[in-house]
Amino acid sequence: IVPILRAIGDADMVIPYVLNPEVRPWSRRLASRGFVILLNALFGLRVPYYNGLVVHKTDLLRQITIETDSFAYQAEAVIKLLRRGATYAIVGTVIAERREGSSKAFRPSNVWRVLKTVYLLKRRIDSGSAPALRAAEGPRAH
């Protein structure tokens, strides 16, 4: 968490990405990478990771509505804020290996809800019912 906290104030959002993905099972790495590639391609972005511990400016978060309760809530927030012109700093973080249990993210119902969220967000943006992109600064690495 320390690298994330150090970057607060450098941009509107601090977006962490995983420096040691090898601690996760290959299926989780593949799914995470695929999710990032899909979102970046659909929305024309270069965000390195969407599901980490993102720090947002509170006043900016209050300007958007999060319409999902799926695992894609963070991606929805990041995409909506970037479309409003928010800036972001990226910070590499090290994650711990899971010692017990397994991720619940890949249950069929969760996967379905995430895909539905991405579809609806893309549809809103393409229809013009989402705020247009303003010129936003690219990422600042830390």
Side-chain angles (χ1 to χ4, degrees):
I1 292 179
V2 173
I4 298 168
L5 296 176
R6 283 189 187 129
I8 291 175
D10 291 348
D12 297 324
M13 291 183 284
V14 179
I15 301 176
Y17 65 95
V18 178
L19 288 171
N20 61 332
E22 67 279 354
V23 302
R24 290 183 168 157
W26 70 268
S27 58
R28 174 69 189 271
R29 292 192 311 260
L30 181 65
S32 291
R33 188 72 188 130
F35 187 62
V36 168
I37 289 169
L38 174 68
L39 293 180
N40 284 340
L42 285 174
F43 299 102
L45 299 170
R46 295 180 304 156
V47 175
Y49 192 62
Y50 285 90
N51 290 329
L53 178 62
V54 177
V55 177
H56 309 271
K57 284 188 174 181
T58 304
D59 61 321
L60 293 178
L61 272 180
R62 288 183 177 142
Q63 294 175 23
I64 63 171
T65 302
I66 303 299
E67 300 173 89
T68 186
D69 61 355
S70 76
F71 282 97
Y73 77 93
Q74 191 69 265
E76 180 181 356
V78 167
I79 291 166
K80 285 181 174 181
L81 290 172
L82 290 175
R83 289 194 58 76
R84 289 175 170 258
T87 59
Y88 65 104
I90 57 172
V91 177
T93 58
V94 176
I95 59 170
E97 188 171 358
R98 184 184 293 265
R99 293 188 180 163
E100 55 186 66
S102 61
S103 173
K104 306 212 181 346
F106 300 116
R107 290 182 177 165
S109 62
N110 292 336
V111 171
W112 167 249
R113 288 172 42 210
V114 165
L115 293 174
K116 180 179 172 186
T117 296
V118 171
Y119 169 77
L120 291 173
L121 184 57
K122 178 67 174 157
R123 196 167 134 199
R124 282 185 204 104
I125 288 170
D126 286 350
S127 72
S129 62
L133 261 175
R134 293 192 329 222
E137 292 181 37
R140 298 179 196 141
H142 289 270

